[in-house]
Amino acid sequence: MTTEIVSLVTPGADACGRLPVEHGEFVRQILDRVGDKWSLLVIANLHDGPRRYTDLQQAVTGISQRMLTLTLRQLGEDGLIARTAYAEVPPRVEYALTPLGESFLQVATSLVQWASTHHGEIREHRALALARGGHGETS
């Protein structure tokens, strides 16, 4: 198995093995953006198609208006979602996944589902760590 991993390592790659060093910082920025809790939940909640701002705010429990606005703006800047404003009275704005966002949807949905499936087990581990005198962290 080690030889397989070694054979995948490219010269000039970082600790990930396959990632060229010159891409490392930008890839970390992308992972920070799409890996935050709000981005994952917004993307996962757009799986059925376009949604209005208020629908997203109701679906993403706990998100503030400011954080939803910021998250939608950042996901739009990265090309993962599109904002469509309709010239109606009253004005209507919808958010939808772009093809790039659709390609990330399966990953996002899998992460949200994994967290939902294993939250009880993780809570138990945190409680045990806290009982051992930690602060919810394992050592």
Side-chain angles (χ1 to χ4, degrees), residues 28-44:
R28 282 189 290 280
Q29 290 173 9
I30 293 168
L31 292 175
D32 282 345
R33 174 78 51 92
V34 298
D36 76 68
K37 65 182 176 181
W38 301 125
S39 294
L40 284 173
L41 293 172
V42 167
I43 290 168

Side-chain angles (χ1 to χ4, degrees), residues 42-116:
V42 167
I43 290 168
N45 276 286
L46 289 172
H47 74 281
D48 284 334
R51 293 183 90 163
R52 296 177 78 167
Y53 183 93
T54 53
D55 296 332
L56 282 170
Q57 193 169 29
Q58 291 171 355
V60 182
T61 307
I63 194 167
S64 68
Q65 185 174 358
R66 179 185 172 282
M67 279 309 302
L68 180 56
T69 299
L70 179 63
T71 300
L72 290 168
R73 183 180 306 127
Q74 290 174 336
L75 291 173
E77 288 170 359
D78 286 346
L80 296 169
I81 65 166
R83 179 184 186 274
T84 305
Y86 296 92
E88 300 175 351
V89 177
R92 179 171 55 109
V93 176
E94 290 183 339
Y95 298 89
L97 293 172
T98 63
L100 184 61
E102 290 280 348
S103 72
F104 183 68
L105 180 62
Q106 185 174 358
V107 174
T109 304
S110 295
L111 286 169
V112 171
Q113 184 59 49
W114 181 88
S116 178

